[in-house]
Amino acid sequence: MGVMSVPNGIVTCLPPADVDDLVGVVEVLVQEQLPTFAAPVAALPELRPVFGARAVFGAWRVDDVAGVEAAHEAGAAFVLGDVADRDMVIYSNRHSLPFYAAATTPLEVRAVLDLGATGAMLWPADVVGHVMAGHLARVGLAEKVIPMGGMGAFAAGEWLKHGAPAACVDTTLLGDAPDGGDLGLLRDRCGSFRKAMQRAVEARAEKSAG
Protein backbone atom coordinates (compact mmCIF):
# COMPACT_ATOMS: atom_id res chain seq x y z
CA MET A 1 0.00 0.00 0.00
CA GLY A 2 1.06 3.60 -0.54
CA VAL A 3 2.12 6.01 2.14
CA MET A 4 -0.99 7.79 3.38
CA SER A 5 -0.58 11.53 3.39
CA VAL A 6 -2.62 14.70 3.28
CA PRO A 7 -2.18 16.30 -0.17
CA ASN A 8 -0.25 19.55 -0.26
CA GLY A 9 0.71 22.20 -2.79
CA ILE A 10 -0.44 21.85 -6.38
CA VAL A 11 -2.34 18.63 -7.06
CA THR A 12 -2.75 17.80 -10.75
CA CYS A 13 -5.97 15.96 -11.55
CA LEU A 14 -5.29 13.45 -14.29
CA PRO A 15 -8.15 12.59 -16.66
CA PRO A 16 -9.19 9.04 -17.62
CA ALA A 17 -6.81 9.02 -20.57
CA ASP A 18 -4.57 6.33 -22.02
CA VAL A 19 -2.02 5.44 -19.35
CA ASP A 20 0.82 5.52 -21.91
CA ASP A 21 0.02 9.19 -22.51
CA LEU A 22 -0.33 9.89 -18.78
CA VAL A 23 3.13 8.49 -18.04
CA GLY A 24 4.77 11.16 -20.18
CA VAL A 25 2.64 13.88 -18.57
CA VAL A 26 3.45 12.73 -15.06
CA GLU A 27 7.15 12.50 -15.87
CA VAL A 28 7.22 16.13 -17.01
CA LEU A 29 5.36 17.33 -13.92
CA VAL A 30 7.62 15.37 -11.58
CA GLN A 31 10.68 16.86 -13.26
CA GLU A 32 9.10 20.30 -12.87
CA GLN A 33 8.67 19.77 -9.11
CA LEU A 34 4.91 19.23 -9.21
CA PRO A 35 4.86 15.61 -8.00
CA THR A 36 1.39 15.27 -6.47
CA PHE A 37 -1.49 13.84 -8.49
CA ALA A 38 -5.11 12.76 -8.24
CA ALA A 39 -5.88 10.00 -10.72
CA PRO A 40 -8.83 7.79 -11.62
CA VAL A 41 -8.71 4.69 -9.44
CA ALA A 42 -8.25 2.42 -12.47
CA ALA A 43 -5.00 4.19 -13.39
CA LEU A 44 -3.34 3.85 -9.98
CA PRO A 45 -2.08 0.25 -10.33
CA GLU A 46 -0.26 1.22 -13.53
CA LEU A 47 1.05 4.65 -12.56
CA ARG A 48 2.27 4.04 -9.02
CA PRO A 49 4.83 1.30 -9.84
CA VAL A 50 6.32 3.42 -12.64
CA PHE A 51 7.07 6.42 -10.43
CA GLY A 52 7.51 4.84 -7.02
CA ALA A 53 8.62 7.37 -4.40
CA ARG A 54 9.06 10.15 -6.99
CA ALA A 55 5.36 11.02 -7.00
CA VAL A 56 2.32 10.92 -4.71
CA PHE A 57 -0.92 9.58 -6.14
CA GLY A 58 -4.37 10.05 -4.69
CA ALA A 59 -7.71 9.11 -6.21
CA TRP A 60 -10.48 11.34 -7.50
CA ARG A 61 -13.89 10.88 -9.13
CA VAL A 62 -14.80 8.52 -6.28
CA ASP A 63 -18.51 8.44 -5.49
CA ASP A 64 -19.22 5.41 -3.30
CA VAL A 65 -17.73 3.14 -0.64
CA ALA A 66 -16.66 0.58 -3.23
CA GLY A 67 -14.64 3.30 -4.93
CA VAL A 68 -12.94 4.29 -1.68
CA GLU A 69 -12.13 0.63 -0.99
CA ALA A 70 -10.70 0.21 -4.49
CA ALA A 71 -8.63 3.38 -4.07
CA HIS A 72 -7.27 2.11 -0.75
CA GLU A 73 -6.39 -1.28 -2.21
CA ALA A 74 -4.66 0.43 -5.14
CA GLY A 75 -2.45 2.38 -2.72
CA ALA A 76 -4.00 5.83 -2.99
CA ALA A 77 -2.46 8.33 -0.59
CA PHE A 78 -5.73 10.25 -0.33
CA VAL A 79 -9.24 10.27 -1.81
CA LEU A 80 -11.22 13.17 -3.25
CA GLY A 81 -14.89 12.19 -3.04
CA ASP A 82 -17.59 13.47 -5.37
CA VAL A 83 -20.15 13.21 -2.56
CA ALA A 84 -20.36 13.70 1.20
CA ASP A 85 -21.27 10.21 2.36
CA ARG A 86 -20.96 8.99 5.95
CA ASP A 87 -20.09 5.42 4.98
CA MET A 88 -17.25 6.64 2.75
CA VAL A 89 -15.93 8.70 5.65
CA ILE A 90 -16.18 5.79 8.07
CA TYR A 91 -14.28 3.46 5.73
CA SER A 92 -11.58 6.06 5.11
CA ASN A 93 -11.09 6.81 8.79
CA ARG A 94 -10.96 3.10 9.64
CA HIS A 95 -8.06 2.75 7.23
CA SER A 96 -6.35 6.07 8.05
CA LEU A 97 -6.97 7.25 4.50
CA PRO A 98 -7.35 11.04 4.14
CA PHE A 99 -10.75 11.71 2.62
CA TYR A 100 -12.00 15.03 1.24
CA ALA A 101 -15.74 15.16 0.55
CA ALA A 102 -17.39 17.50 -1.94
CA ALA A 103 -18.75 20.83 -0.69
CA THR A 104 -19.40 24.29 -2.12
CA THR A 105 -20.55 26.62 0.65
CA PRO A 106 -19.11 27.26 4.12
CA LEU A 107 -22.16 25.49 5.59
CA GLU A 108 -21.46 22.45 3.44
CA VAL A 109 -17.80 22.54 4.48
CA ARG A 110 -18.84 22.45 8.14
CA ALA A 111 -21.26 19.60 7.42
CA VAL A 112 -18.48 17.58 5.79
CA LEU A 113 -16.23 18.14 8.80
CA ASP A 114 -19.06 17.13 11.14
CA LEU A 115 -19.20 13.80 9.27
CA GLY A 116 -15.60 13.22 10.30
CA ALA A 117 -13.98 13.75 6.90
CA THR A 118 -10.39 14.96 6.76
CA GLY A 119 -11.63 18.01 4.93
CA ALA A 120 -13.74 19.35 2.09
CA MET A 121 -13.08 19.35 -1.64
CA LEU A 122 -14.57 22.67 -2.67
CA TRP A 123 -15.99 22.43 -6.17
CA PRO A 124 -16.38 24.21 -8.54
CA ALA A 125 -13.65 26.57 -7.39
CA ASP A 126 -13.77 28.71 -10.52
CA VAL A 127 -17.44 29.51 -9.90
CA VAL A 128 -16.96 30.23 -6.18
CA GLY A 129 -13.85 32.30 -6.90
CA HIS A 130 -10.60 32.57 -4.98
CA VAL A 131 -12.02 35.39 -2.85
CA MET A 132 -13.76 32.60 -0.94
CA ALA A 133 -10.35 31.54 0.37
CA GLY A 134 -10.09 34.69 2.46
CA HIS A 135 -13.62 34.27 3.81
CA LEU A 136 -12.92 30.68 4.84
CA ALA A 137 -9.63 31.70 6.43
CA ARG A 138 -11.41 34.28 8.58
CA VAL A 139 -13.73 31.62 10.01
CA GLY A 140 -10.97 29.07 10.49
CA LEU A 141 -11.95 26.70 7.68
CA ALA A 142 -9.39 27.33 4.93
CA GLU A 143 -6.93 24.77 6.29
CA LYS A 144 -9.58 22.07 5.85
CA VAL A 145 -10.48 22.94 2.26
CA ILE A 146 -8.97 21.85 -1.03
CA PRO A 147 -10.39 23.78 -4.02
CA MET A 148 -10.88 22.09 -7.38
CA GLY A 149 -11.99 23.11 -10.84
CA GLY A 150 -10.92 25.59 -13.49
CA MET A 151 -8.25 27.43 -11.50
CA GLY A 152 -5.30 29.13 -13.08
CA ALA A 153 -1.98 29.63 -11.32
CA PHE A 154 -2.93 32.90 -9.64
CA ALA A 155 -6.17 31.56 -8.14
CA ALA A 156 -4.46 28.37 -6.96
CA GLY A 157 -1.77 30.48 -5.32
CA GLU A 158 -4.37 32.62 -3.54
CA TRP A 159 -6.00 29.55 -2.04
CA LEU A 160 -2.64 28.25 -0.86
CA LYS A 161 -1.68 31.65 0.52
CA HIS A 162 -4.84 31.74 2.64
CA GLY A 163 -4.16 28.36 4.19
CA ALA A 164 -5.57 25.67 1.93
CA PRO A 165 -3.25 22.65 2.15
CA ALA A 166 -3.55 22.02 -1.58
CA ALA A 167 -5.19 23.27 -4.77
CA CYS A 168 -6.35 20.87 -7.47
CA VAL A 169 -5.74 21.97 -11.05
CA ASP A 170 -6.72 20.30 -14.29
CA THR A 171 -6.88 21.51 -17.89
CA THR A 172 -5.53 24.95 -17.01
CA LEU A 173 -2.21 23.20 -16.43
CA LEU A 174 -2.54 20.06 -18.52
CA GLY A 175 -3.98 21.53 -21.71
CA ASP A 176 -4.13 18.80 -24.34
CA ALA A 177 -1.04 16.96 -23.06
CA PRO A 178 -2.99 13.86 -21.88
CA ASP A 179 -4.39 13.51 -25.41
CA GLY A 180 -0.95 13.43 -26.98
CA GLY A 181 -0.39 17.21 -26.99
CA ASP A 182 2.94 19.01 -26.83
CA LEU A 183 4.79 18.12 -23.61
CA GLY A 184 7.10 21.09 -24.15
CA LEU A 185 4.15 23.45 -23.77
CA LEU A 186 3.11 21.57 -20.64
CA ARG A 187 6.58 22.11 -19.23
CA ASP A 188 6.29 25.83 -19.98
CA ARG A 189 2.98 26.05 -18.11
CA CYS A 190 4.45 24.36 -15.06
CA GLY A 191 6.57 27.40 -14.26
CA SER A 192 3.66 29.69 -13.38
CA PHE A 193 2.05 27.10 -11.11
CA ARG A 194 5.33 26.29 -9.38
CA LYS A 195 6.01 30.00 -8.81
CA ALA A 196 2.48 30.52 -7.44
CA MET A 197 3.06 27.69 -4.98
CA GLN A 198 6.42 29.09 -3.93
CA ARG A 199 4.99 32.59 -3.43
CA ALA A 200 2.21 31.16 -1.28
CA VAL A 201 4.72 29.33 0.91
CA GLU A 202 6.72 32.53 1.32
CA ALA A 203 3.61 34.58 2.15
CA ARG A 204 2.52 32.09 4.80
CA ALA A 205 6.00 32.03 6.29
CA GLU A 206 6.07 35.82 6.50
CA LYS A 207 2.64 35.82 8.15
CA SER A 208 3.76 33.26 10.71
CA ALA A 209 6.95 35.18 11.45
CA GLY A 210 5.02 38.42 11.90
Side-chain angles (χ1 to χ4, degrees):
M1 296 300 167
V3 176
M4 304 308 178
S5 60
V6 174
N8 62 83
I10 298 294
V11 176
T12 304
C13 294
L14 301 172
D18 188 287
V19 172
D20 289 339
D21 287 327
L22 292 180
V23 166
V25 169
V26 172
E27 179 61 38
V28 168
L29 291 167
V30 169
Q31 291 177 11
E32 293 297 319
Q33 302 173 52
L34 298 173
T36 305
F37 303 88
V41 174
L44 293 176
E46 296 183 76
L47 289 174
R48 288 186 61 251
V50 173
F51 294 95
R54 298 174 60 214
V56 174
F57 291 96
W60 73 308
R61 294 186 172 180
V62 179
D63 59 9
D64 56 23
V65 175
V68 178
E69 182 176 1
H72 176 58
E73 293 178 350
F78 57 87
V79 172
L80 305 176
D82 285 347
V83 295
D85 178 82
R86 186 178 298 277
D87 290 337
M88 294 168 72
V89 172
I90 291 172
Y91 180 93
S92 299
N93 289 343
R94 184 183 301 137
H95 294 279
S96 300
L97 177 60
F99 179 80
Y100 289 78
T104 302
T105 68
L107 284 177
E108 290 175 356
V109 171
R110 291 188 187 279
V112 161
L113 297 177
D114 287 344
L115 284 178
T118 308
M121 179 190 73
L122 190 142
W123 182 89
D126 55 339
V127 173
V128 174
H130 64 265
V131 174
M132 178 63 78
H135 297 319
L136 291 174
R138 282 190 287 276
V139 296
L141 293 176
E143 293 180 358
K144 293 292 187 177
V145 171
I146 294 177
M148 172 189 286
M151 288 180 294
F154 176 79
E158 288 296 296
W159 278 97
L160 296 173
K161 185 174 72 176
H162 283 94
C168 293
V169 301
D170 41 38
T171 55
T172 53
L173 172 58
L174 293 172
D176 63 353
D179 298 317
D182 191 331
L183 294 180
L185 293 177
L186 170 62
R187 193 180 297 275
D188 291 341
R189 290 190 295 273
C190 287
S192 60
F193 284 87
R194 187 176 60 249
K195 289 175 183 177
M197 184 169 59
Q198 292 169 345
R199 284 195 295 267
V201 170
E202 292 168 359
R204 289 169 66 168
E206 289 177 5
K207 183 176 180 181
S208 298

